[in-house]
Amino acid sequence: KYVLYNNVTDESGISDDMLLPARPSDFSQNSVTASDSGTQYEVSVYHPAFNSLTAPVTMFDNIKTILPVVLKPMTTNERGGE
C-alpha cells in the first residue's frame, strides 16, 4: 500500500482536487478490457473523535468521482474513557 494523499477537509467536510491516475478511457471502449476499465483505490477517512472508515473507490479516466462518507462518533469507551 502507498499513501497518495494525506488531506484535511474544509469546514464543510470536503477535501477536493485529489487527482488519482486511472486507466485510459480506451479500456472501456474495447470489449476485451471493458470489464477492467476502472482503477481501484482504497480510501481511509479518520478523525480523532470518530471511528475510522475505509472504503473502496473505482476511478475512471476524465470522470470526477465523489465518495460520500459518514463517520460515526466514538463512544466514551472507544475513546479510552475520557
Side-chain angles (χ1 to χ4, degrees):
K1 291 184 181 182
Y2 298 96
V3 174
L4 300 178
Y5 288 96
N6 188 0
N7 282 1
V8 176
T9 65
D10 63 16
E11 62 277 355
S12 300
I14 296 172
S15 185
D16 225 352
D17 297 327
M18 289 183 279
L19 301 176
L20 297 171
R23 290 186 176 99
S25 57
D26 299 1
F27 275 56
S28 64
Q29 305 301 312
N30 182 321
S31 62
V32 175
T33 57
S35 64
D36 194 30
S37 60
T39 304
Q40 287 281 335
Y41 289 95
E42 188 173 272
V43 176
S44 296
V45 182
Y46 56 91
H47 182 281
F50 292 80
N51 291 308
S52 61
L53 172 79
T54 300
V57 63
T58 303
M59 304 297 294
F60 295 94
D61 193 29
N62 296 315
I63 297 177
K64 183 174 184 170
T65 301
I66 298 172
L67 178 64
V69 296
V70 177
L71 296 178
K72 179 183 165 196
M74 284 186 186
T75 64
T76 303
N77 289 340
E78 290 171 323
R79 286 192 305 257
E82 297 174 4

